[in-house]
Amino acid sequence: MTDPALLRVEGVEPVPAVEFVEGTAAVWAHMTPLPAAESALRSQTARVAVIHTCAEQERLAAATGVPADWALVGEALTDALTGLLTAPRVPIRKDR
């Protein structure tokens, strides 16, 4: 889903899982509204963080033979995503 060359493969749809979309929508229903582009970017960032964190844990487990500590991964992702999704909006400075 992250390699542009693979996105051109016929029949490959870069669509997040229904559960992730529904879960994100449920979270946003309880958040302070953000501009649409910013909430979309935060959702995209959350999705990428989950996918890549899990993939990295699987890679490490395959390389070392030590299974991932999924409870720890889940707790760390929960903390990180909570911060990402609930962070206050900082207006962009016009002088940049």
Side-chain angles (χ1 to χ4, degrees), residues 16-62:
V18 171
E19 294 83 3
F20 189 83
V21 173
E22 290 173 352
T24 303
V27 168
W28 284 116
H30 299 284
M31 307 307 302
T32 303
L34 292 171
E38 189 166 346
S39 64
L41 181 58
R42 288 189 189 197
S43 291
Q44 175 191 23
T45 304
R47 178 179 53 82
V48 169
V50 169
I51 291 168
H52 284 277
T53 299
C54 292
E56 181 65 10
Q57 293 304 306
E58 291 290 343
R59 187 195 66 73
L60 286 169

Side-chain angles (χ1 to χ4, degrees), residues 1 6-7 10 13 24-25 28 35 40 51 57 61-62:
M1 287 184 63
L6 294 178
L7 294 178
E10 188 172 328
E13 294 280 334
T24 303
W28 284 116
I51 291 168
Q57 293 304 306

